């Protein structure tokens, strides 16, 4: 193994890091003083708000905007990080969009958009940033998926399909990169109290929570803690796993 920086001096890139689970993940790594790169698409102010929270921990923080559906923009993001000396040792593919509705009503444009953000974006970002990890014989790739990528959900066929693809991508790439000392895992949360749940009214939210054995939604910081654990050097024997923190909702 080539010499790798101590864990607290490493760099993490969190895609979709401006809000919700992504923001919580960025701040969790910042809490130990790591270098943190916060990716966003359009939420400039939210990204800056997360960056300020991270800097209060003493972390070195960089925000970067890119459309992950575009290879050219992903490559420009890589070049910017390389020029700043902030190539990630840890990549968290968190960016994603959801879709709720009957499959019979899904348009081709909606299908393409959900697949490109959730699946193609994960592919493009991983492809650009895994090579330095391979060269240094060390790295962590953590994909944020969904419980519906494991079990599927009625009226979420499109989203379930995209996240199921992320899970398959995770398992296959883990085998490919294991000889290089790079682990690849996925965290597949259940219902988490973020803006993604804002489309449900209070009655629907109560009904969902009632169906969860834990009796509540997950919190972003709980998901962030699991992501952080998978990134630790001592988690190096965990790879190819899809771990679902969902309060016992799906087992």
């Amino acid at each position: 193994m080539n010499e790798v920086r101590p864990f607290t001096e490493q760099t993490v890139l969190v895609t979709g890091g401006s809000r919700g689970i992504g923001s919580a993940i960025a701040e969790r790594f910042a809490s130990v003083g790591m270098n943190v790169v916060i990716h966003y698409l359009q939420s400039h102010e939210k990204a800056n708000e997360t960056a300020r929270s991270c800097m209060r921990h003493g972390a070195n923080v960089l925000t970067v905007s890119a459309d992950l559906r575009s290879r050219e923009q992903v490559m420009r993001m890589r070049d910017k990080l390389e020029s700043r000396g902030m190539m990630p040792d840890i990549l968290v593919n968190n960016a994603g969009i959801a879709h709720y509705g009957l499959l019979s009503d899904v348009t081709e444009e909606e299908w393409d958009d959900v697949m490109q953000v959730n699946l193609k974006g994960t592919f493009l970002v991983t492809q650009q940033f895994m090579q330095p990890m391979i060269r240094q014989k060390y790295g962590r790739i953590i994909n944020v998926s969904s419980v519906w990528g494991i079990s599927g959900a009625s009226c979420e066929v499109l989203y379930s399909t995209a996240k199921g693809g992320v899970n398959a991508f995770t398992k296959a790439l883990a085998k490919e990169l294991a000889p290089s000392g790079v682990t690849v895992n996925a965290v597949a949360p259940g219902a988490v109290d973020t803006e993604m749940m804002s489309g449900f009214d209070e009655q629907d939210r109560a009904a969902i929570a009632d169906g969860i054995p834990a009796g509540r939604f997950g919190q972003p910081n709980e998901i962030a803690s699991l992501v952080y654990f998978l990134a630790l050097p001592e988690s190096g024997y965990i790879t190819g796993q899809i771990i679902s923190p969902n309060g016992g909702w799906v087992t």
Side-chain angles (χ1 to χ4, degrees):
M1 179 184 292
N2 294 336
E3 186 174 348
V4 178
R5 293 185 298 277
F7 181 69
T8 55
E9 297 177 14
Q10 292 179 22
T11 299
V12 58
L13 164 60
V14 184
T15 69
S18 65
R19 63 182 70 196
I21 291 173
S23 178
I25 292 170
E27 190 161 359
R28 179 66 185 88
F29 283 100
S31 70
V32 296
M34 294 181 71
N35 302 312
V36 179
V37 180
I38 300 166
H39 158 268
Y40 67 98
L41 177 57
Q42 295 177 320
S43 304
H44 180 74
E45 288 305 317
K46 286 285 188 182
N48 283 341
E49 183 179 324
T50 298
R52 287 191 291 271
S53 295
C54 290
M55 286 187 286
R56 282 195 285 270
H57 294 287
N60 181 27
V61 183
L62 176 67
T63 61
V64 59
S65 176
D67 185 341
L68 303 186
R69 296 167 293 188
S70 163
R71 177 179 293 275
E72 289 72 22
Q73 291 198 33
V74 172
M75 290 177 69
R76 282 201 296 271
M77 178 171 68
R78 180 205 62 194
D79 292 344
K80 180 176 182 179
L81 268 58
E82 189 170 26
S83 69
R84 300 290 184 90
M86 293 186 73
M87 289 294 279
D89 306 280
I90 302 159
L91 168 61
V92 182
N93 285 307
N94 171 72
I97 57 174
H99 180 277
Y100 186 83
L102 294 170
L103 182 64
S104 57
D105 296 331
V106 172
T107 66
E108 189 172 352
E109 289 75 19
E110 288 172 330
W111 177 276
D112 288 344
D113 198 35
V114 171
M115 291 298 174
Q116 287 194 359
V117 173
N118 290 284
L119 197 50
K120 182 182 178 182
T122 296
F123 152 64
L124 289 175
V125 174
T126 301
Q127 189 181 58
Q128 290 301 317
F129 289 103
M130 70 183 192
Q131 293 302 327
M133 298 182 191
I134 293 171
R135 286 195 295 270
Q136 71 179 9
K137 289 288 191 178
Y138 179 87
R140 301 284 185 263
I141 298 171
I142 304 161
N143 302 319
V144 178
S145 179
S146 167
V147 66
W148 300 139
I150 298 171
S151 67
S154 175
C155 295
E156 295 199 50
V157 174
L158 175 50
Y159 183 65
S160 298
T161 302
K163 291 303 190 180
V166 170
N167 292 346
F169 176 89
T170 298
K171 291 179 179 181
L173 187 62
K175 294 180 178 180
E176 188 170 314
L177 297 187
S180 299
V182 180
T183 66
V184 188
N185 292 289
V187 173
V192 180
D193 196 9
T194 66
E195 289 181 21
M196 196 171 280
M197 297 297 296
S198 63
F200 297 94
D201 60 28
E202 285 304 314
Q203 185 176 356
D204 288 337
R205 286 170 60 90
I208 293 170
D210 189 57
I212 301 171
R216 64 176 178 85
F217 290 169
Q219 295 301 312
N221 66 299
E222 294 177 302
I223 311 305
S225 292
L226 176 55
V227 171
Y228 179 83
F229 171 76
L230 291 171
L232 291 169
E234 54 264 41
S235 297
Y237 202 56
I238 304 172
T239 195
Q241 303 305 303
I242 315 299
I243 305 173
S244 182
N246 61 58
W249 202 12
V250 174
T251 59

mmCIF file of all heavy atoms in Angstrom, residues 73-92:
data_model
loop_
_atom_site.group_PDB
_atom_site.id
_atom_site.type_symbol
_atom_site.label_atom_id
_atom_site.label_comp_id
_atom_site.label_asym_id
_atom_site.label_seq_id
_atom_site.Cartn_x
_atom_site.Cartn_y
_atom_site.Cartn_z
ATOM 1 N N GLN A 73 -19.147 18.368 -17.334
ATOM 2 C CA GLN A 73 -19.192 19.098 -16.067
ATOM 3 C C GLN A 73 -18.557 18.297 -14.928
ATOM 4 O O GLN A 73 -17.923 18.862 -14.041
ATOM 5 C CB GLN A 73 -20.635 19.480 -15.732
ATOM 6 C CG GLN A 73 -21.195 20.537 -16.669
ATOM 7 C CD GLN A 73 -22.423 21.233 -16.107
ATOM 8 O OE1 GLN A 73 -22.547 21.426 -14.915
ATOM 9 N NE2 GLN A 73 -23.339 21.596 -16.990
ATOM 10 N N VAL A 74 -18.739 16.989 -14.949
ATOM 11 C CA VAL A 74 -18.101 16.145 -13.937
ATOM 12 C C VAL A 74 -16.584 16.214 -14.083
ATOM 13 O O VAL A 74 -15.849 16.292 -13.082
ATOM 14 C CB VAL A 74 -18.597 14.689 -14.032
ATOM 15 C CG1 VAL A 74 -17.781 13.778 -13.119
ATOM 16 C CG2 VAL A 74 -20.078 14.606 -13.670
ATOM 17 N N MET A 75 -16.100 16.224 -15.314
ATOM 18 C CA MET A 75 -14.655 16.322 -15.547
ATOM 19 C C MET A 75 -14.119 17.674 -15.100
ATOM 20 O O MET A 75 -13.017 17.763 -14.534
ATOM 21 C CB MET A 75 -14.342 16.079 -17.025
ATOM 22 C CG MET A 75 -14.570 14.642 -17.462
ATOM 23 S SD MET A 75 -14.289 14.373 -19.232
ATOM 24 C CE MET A 75 -12.516 14.596 -19.325
ATOM 25 N N ARG A 76 -14.891 18.743 -15.323
ATOM 26 C CA ARG A 76 -14.462 20.057 -14.851
ATOM 27 C C ARG A 76 -14.409 20.101 -13.324
ATOM 28 O O ARG A 76 -13.510 20.722 -12.744
ATOM 29 C CB ARG A 76 -15.404 21.151 -15.381
ATOM 30 C CG ARG A 76 -15.156 21.523 -16.837
ATOM 31 C CD ARG A 76 -15.706 22.882 -17.168
ATOM 32 N NE ARG A 76 -17.158 22.939 -17.053
ATOM 33 C CZ ARG A 76 -17.992 22.655 -18.049
ATOM 34 N NH1 ARG A 76 -17.523 22.291 -19.237
ATOM 35 N NH2 ARG A 76 -19.290 22.753 -17.872
ATOM 36 N N MET A 77 -15.363 19.429 -12.687
ATOM 37 C CA MET A 77 -15.347 19.337 -11.227
ATOM 38 C C MET A 77 -14.090 18.609 -10.764
ATOM 39 O O MET A 77 -13.418 19.040 -9.816
ATOM 40 C CB MET A 77 -16.608 18.623 -10.725
ATOM 41 C CG MET A 77 -16.642 18.438 -9.210
ATOM 42 S SD MET A 77 -18.232 17.826 -8.572
ATOM 43 C CE MET A 77 -18.246 16.154 -9.232
ATOM 44 N N ARG A 78 -13.759 17.510 -11.421
ATOM 45 C CA ARG A 78 -12.544 16.769 -11.081
ATOM 46 C C ARG A 78 -11.305 17.648 -11.238
ATOM 47 O O ARG A 78 -10.425 17.668 -10.367
ATOM 48 C CB ARG A 78 -12.413 15.532 -11.970
ATOM 49 C CG ARG A 78 -11.171 14.684 -11.699
ATOM 50 C CD ARG A 78 -10.783 13.882 -12.913
ATOM 51 N NE ARG A 78 -10.431 14.757 -14.042
ATOM 52 C CZ ARG A 78 -10.304 14.356 -15.295
ATOM 53 N NH1 ARG A 78 -10.504 13.100 -15.623
ATOM 54 N NH2 ARG A 78 -9.980 15.215 -16.252
ATOM 55 N N ASP A 79 -11.240 18.395 -12.338
ATOM 56 C CA ASP A 79 -10.079 19.254 -12.585
ATOM 57 C C ASP A 79 -9.965 20.337 -11.513
ATOM 58 O O ASP A 79 -8.853 20.683 -11.080
ATOM 59 C CB ASP A 79 -10.171 19.896 -13.969
ATOM 60 C CG ASP A 79 -10.015 18.879 -15.104
ATOM 61 O OD1 ASP A 79 -9.539 17.759 -14.835
ATOM 62 O OD2 ASP A 79 -10.385 19.217 -16.242
ATOM 63 N N LYS A 80 -11.087 20.886 -11.084
ATOM 64 C CA LYS A 80 -11.069 21.924 -10.052
ATOM 65 C C LYS A 80 -10.548 21.352 -8.736
ATOM 66 O O LYS A 80 -9.706 21.968 -8.070
ATOM 67 C CB LYS A 80 -12.470 22.504 -9.856
ATOM 68 C CG LYS A 80 -12.525 23.601 -8.802
ATOM 69 C CD LYS A 80 -13.908 24.222 -8.707
ATOM 70 C CE LYS A 80 -13.933 25.344 -7.674
ATOM 71 N NZ LYS A 80 -15.281 25.985 -7.592
ATOM 72 N N LEU A 81 -11.022 20.163 -8.379
ATOM 73 C CA LEU A 81 -10.573 19.549 -7.129
ATOM 74 C C LEU A 81 -9.088 19.208 -7.201
ATOM 75 O O LEU A 81 -8.349 19.387 -6.223
ATOM 76 C CB LEU A 81 -11.398 18.293 -6.827
ATOM 77 C CG LEU A 81 -12.641 18.493 -5.953
ATOM 78 C CD1 LEU A 81 -13.607 19.494 -6.578
ATOM 79 C CD2 LEU A 81 -13.359 17.175 -5.715
ATOM 80 N N GLU A 82 -8.653 18.728 -8.358
ATOM 81 C CA GLU A 82 -7.244 18.373 -8.516
ATOM 82 C C GLU A 82 -6.368 19.616 -8.387
ATOM 83 O O GLU A 82 -5.312 19.574 -7.746
ATOM 84 C CB GLU A 82 -7.029 17.693 -9.864
ATOM 85 C CG GLU A 82 -5.653 17.085 -10.030
ATOM 86 C CD GLU A 82 -5.563 16.204 -11.273
ATOM 87 O OE1 GLU A 82 -6.326 16.438 -12.229
ATOM 88 O OE2 GLU A 82 -4.726 15.285 -11.275
ATOM 89 N N SER A 83 -6.814 20.722 -8.967
ATOM 90 C CA SER A 83 -6.023 21.956 -8.905
ATOM 91 C C SER A 83 -5.951 22.518 -7.492
ATOM 92 O O SER A 83 -4.994 23.211 -7.138
ATOM 93 C CB SER A 83 -6.615 23.008 -9.856
ATOM 94 O OG SER A 83 -7.870 23.472 -9.379
ATOM 95 N N ARG A 84 -6.948 22.215 -6.671
ATOM 96 C CA ARG A 84 -6.978 22.684 -5.279
ATOM 97 C C ARG A 84 -6.335 21.679 -4.319
ATOM 98 O O ARG A 84 -6.315 21.922 -3.104
ATOM 99 C CB ARG A 84 -8.424 22.936 -4.842
ATOM 100 C CG ARG A 84 -9.185 23.971 -5.651
ATOM 101 C CD ARG A 84 -8.673 25.377 -5.406
ATOM 102 N NE ARG A 84 -9.470 26.361 -6.113
ATOM 103 C CZ ARG A 84 -10.554 26.963 -5.599
ATOM 104 N NH1 ARG A 84 -10.939 26.662 -4.370
ATOM 105 N NH2 ARG A 84 -11.217 27.852 -6.301
ATOM 106 N N GLY A 85 -5.849 20.564 -4.844
ATOM 107 C CA GLY A 85 -5.261 19.549 -3.983
ATOM 108 C C GLY A 85 -6.281 18.869 -3.103
ATOM 109 O O GLY A 85 -5.960 18.450 -1.984
ATOM 110 N N MET A 86 -7.509 18.723 -3.616
ATOM 111 C CA MET A 86 -8.595 18.151 -2.820
ATOM 112 C C MET A 86 -9.255 16.977 -3.535
ATOM 113 O O MET A 86 -10.475 16.812 -3.511
ATOM 114 C CB MET A 86 -9.629 19.219 -2.459
ATOM 115 C CG MET A 86 -9.081 20.274 -1.509
ATOM 116 S SD MET A 86 -10.305 21.469 -0.917
ATOM 117 C CE MET A 86 -11.251 20.465 0.228
ATOM 118 N N MET A 87 -8.439 16.153 -4.159
ATOM 119 C CA MET A 87 -8.983 14.923 -4.728
ATOM 120 C C MET A 87 -9.432 14.001 -3.597
ATOM 121 O O MET A 87 -8.705 13.804 -2.618
ATOM 122 C CB MET A 87 -7.938 14.239 -5.603
ATOM 123 C CG MET A 87 -7.668 14.978 -6.894
ATOM 124 S SD MET A 87 -9.102 15.007 -8.016
ATOM 125 C CE MET A 87 -8.954 13.374 -8.755
ATOM 126 N N PRO A 88 -10.623 13.435 -3.695
ATOM 127 C CA PRO A 88 -11.177 12.700 -2.554
ATOM 128 C C PRO A 88 -10.575 11.315 -2.349
ATOM 129 O O PRO A 88 -10.360 10.564 -3.284
ATOM 130 C CB PRO A 88 -12.666 12.589 -2.904
ATOM 131 C CG PRO A 88 -12.708 12.657 -4.400
ATOM 132 C CD PRO A 88 -11.591 13.589 -4.788
ATOM 133 N N ASP A 89 -10.328 11.025 -1.065
ATOM 134 C CA ASP A 89 -10.019 9.665 -0.640
ATOM 135 C C ASP A 89 -11.323 8.912 -0.374
ATOM 136 O O ASP A 89 -11.355 7.690 -0.408
ATOM 137 C CB ASP A 89 -9.204 9.690 0.653
ATOM 138 C CG ASP A 89 -7.966 10.558 0.531
ATOM 139 O OD1 ASP A 89 -6.976 10.072 -0.042
ATOM 140 O OD2 ASP A 89 -7.998 11.721 0.997
ATOM 141 N N ILE A 90 -12.372 9.688 -0.087
ATOM 142 C CA ILE A 90 -13.698 9.144 0.208
ATOM 143 C C ILE A 90 -14.699 9.836 -0.697
ATOM 144 O O ILE A 90 -14.779 11.069 -0.736
ATOM 145 C CB ILE A 90 -14.078 9.400 1.677
ATOM 146 C CG1 ILE A 90 -13.041 8.794 2.631
ATOM 147 C CG2 ILE A 90 -15.479 8.869 1.989
ATOM 148 C CD1 ILE A 90 -13.060 9.400 4.011
ATOM 149 N N LEU A 91 -15.464 9.056 -1.441
ATOM 150 C CA LEU A 91 -16.501 9.582 -2.327
ATOM 151 C C LEU A 91 -17.858 9.117 -1.822
ATOM 152 O O LEU A 91 -18.090 7.913 -1.678
ATOM 153 C CB LEU A 91 -16.280 9.096 -3.759
ATOM 154 C CG LEU A 91 -17.434 9.319 -4.747
ATOM 155 C CD1 LEU A 91 -17.731 10.807 -4.910
ATOM 156 C CD2 LEU A 91 -17.123 8.666 -6.093
ATOM 157 N N VAL A 92 -18.746 10.066 -1.565
ATOM 158 C CA VAL A 92 -20.113 9.739 -1.160
ATOM 159 C C VAL A 92 -21.056 10.190 -2.270
ATOM 160 O O VAL A 92 -21.270 11.389 -2.466
ATOM 161 C CB VAL A 92 -20.496 10.408 0.173
ATOM 162 C CG1 VAL A 92 -21.915 9.993 0.574
ATOM 163 C CG2 VAL A 92 -19.506 10.039 1.267
#
